[in-house]
Amino acid sequence: MKTTKTIVLILLGLIIAFPMESMAKPRKTKDKILWSKAPHKRSGLYTHRNYFVSQGVSLNGSALYYFGDVDNEGVAFKGGFNKENMSYGGSLQFAYLLPAGNHCNMRFGLMGGTLHGNNKAKFDMLTPPRDDYRKFSSILIQPSVGVEYYPFSAAGLYLFGGVALSASIITEFEFYHYSNIAGRSDKPRQVVSGSTYGFLPMIQLGLGYSWAITPSWCISVELMLQEGVIDTQYMNLDAWPLAASQNSEGVALGKTFGTYTDRYGKEQIHWNDGWFQLGLTISYRWHTCEKCRILNYGLLK
């Protein structure tokens, strides 16, 4: 009787162990790894890592749309789309696999490009015409760090959040001071022009989607908002304010979301300098182990 019980227990153990063992290891064919699951190190639950969560390098090209003090509307797109605010940029990025989970990558980036704005064409259409004309052109350099978060295990949708420090080498600027703010119409207009520079800490928020095109290569489309956290002398993108005295010319300094005084002397919400960007990225990813290739090119096709 005791021998019978021992044999039964051994058989039950083999029956339970066999399927568990088959689930823990990938099943291979000649050309790809089939769907398989592996237990998570911490929880013991059977999960899998998103295919795009892996180490790799990327090249990105983006169209940029500037907003800020030179646009002089307080809030992006408030006065409509202005083609003079369009420019371009590109970046080299490195993705680093976070060991803490199956859905996150660290992203380190170095971006370069141009940035410019010009409000003259838009304001000339108003009646009466505005005389607070502003324009600038700059060369942009920006190191950044952030996190890509893929909320779904088997999809390329991701969210991005990061921080950056932008260096704006302003090669040209030209400003007309206000002369028609309520109660100050007698103030003579002054023209200021030249070149300068600015450094601006920024917050990055993005939404993107990735597609696999080979087992190692993928492409992504990403929409991002980059917003400055301050707007003061030498800490801006567009040379405004050029001096501390310009605080009295319409922009309240030192506020993350400050106020903007429009042409009628009314205070409006004021966004700090920043830009929207829409870009295309091509990436080469490499996986640190076989388990990271559970969702491979063949399964995503």
Side-chain angles (χ1 to χ4, degrees):
M1 185 72 176
K2 186 175 181 180
T3 302
T4 304
K5 287 183 177 180
T6 302
I7 294 173
V8 170
L9 290 174
I10 292 172
L11 291 173
L12 287 173
L14 290 173
I15 292 170
I16 294 173
F18 179 77
M20 294 295 286
E21 178 67 15
S22 66
M23 291 175 66
K25 294 182 179 180
R27 292 178 290 120
K28 297 182 180 180
T29 67
K30 293 180 180 179
D31 57 350
K32 65 183 180 181
I33 300 172
L34 296 178
W35 177 267
S36 178
K37 292 185 177 182
H40 193 280
K41 290 181 179 179
R42 293 172 298 169
S43 66
L45 298 176
Y46 282 79
T47 65
H48 61 266
R49 178 176 293 151
N50 187 292
Y51 171 77
F52 300 101
V53 177
S54 58
Q55 297 186 147
V57 292
S58 305
L59 285 175
N60 168 272
S62 296
L64 313 180
Y65 185 87
Y66 156 84
F67 58 83
D69 295 309
V70 167
D71 191 47
N72 207 9
E73 288 290 349
V75 177
F77 299 112
K78 181 180 177 183
F81 179 83
N82 182 7
K83 65 179 182 180
E84 296 294 335
N85 290 0
M86 291 294 300
S87 58
Y88 58 88
S91 63
L92 175 65
Q93 302 168 354
F94 174 71
Y96 177 74
L97 177 65
L98 282 176
N102 294 327
H103 297 274
C104 293
N105 266 345
M106 288 288 291
R107 185 204 290 182
F108 302 90
L110 180 62
M111 178 180 178
T114 64
L115 204 64
H116 51 78
N118 187 335
N119 65 14
K120 188 176 189 300
K122 182 170 60 176
F123 290 163
D124 279 348
M125 295 186 297
L126 299 179
T127 303
R130 297 187 66 152
D131 61 0
D132 52 352
Y133 161 60
R134 299 176 185 178
K135 74 173 183 178
F136 84 102
S137 297
S138 74
I139 298 171
L140 185 70
I141 302 172
Q142 183 197 70
S144 62
V145 61
V147 176
E148 296 174 345
Y149 172 64
Y150 290 82
F152 306 109
S153 296
L157 179 70
Y158 67 90
L159 305 174
F160 177 79
V163 293
L165 179 63
S166 296
S168 183
I169 304 169
I170 301 163
T171 57
E172 175 191 17
F173 69 84
E174 185 172 279
F175 303 142
Y176 289 178
H177 281 211
Y178 281 93
S179 65
N180 60 353
I181 291 180
R184 302 186 64 181
S185 59
D186 58 336
K187 180 179 178 181
R189 184 174 67 186
Q190 299 176 352
V191 180
V192 180
S193 62
S195 61
T196 184
Y197 63 88
F199 295 94
L200 185 62
M202 305 187 75
I203 294 174
Q204 303 175 316
L205 297 174
L207 174 67
Y209 200 93
S210 299
W211 294 269
I213 53 177
T214 76
S216 297
W217 291 90
C218 61
I219 59 173
S220 307
V221 174
E222 182 178 87
L223 177 65
M224 182 183 291
L225 165 67
Q226 299 218 37
E227 170 74 12
V229 299
I230 197 169
D231 193 6
T232 66
Q233 183 185 11
Y234 296 118
M235 297 190 75
N236 55 63
L237 297 175
D238 51 20
W240 185 280
L242 187 62
S245 61
Q246 289 176 331
N247 186 28
S248 62
E249 301 295 339
V251 178
L253 302 182
K255 298 180 180 180
T256 301
F257 291 98
T259 58
Y260 158 81
T261 305
D262 65 18
R263 65 187 306 208
Y264 304 108
K266 297 180 180 179
E267 287 194 348
Q268 307 288 346
I269 295 175
H270 171 70
W271 287 15
N272 295 331
D273 298 340
W275 68 82
F276 291 97
Q277 69 183 59
L278 178 63
L280 181 68
T281 301
I282 183 166
S283 305
Y284 178 81
R285 304 277 187 173
W286 61 86
H287 300 269
T288 56
C289 62
E290 290 265 300
K291 292 178 182 178
C292 302
R293 295 175 62 87
I294 294 169
L295 284 175
N296 70 352
Y297 170 68
L299 293 174
L300 291 175
K301 287 282 282 185

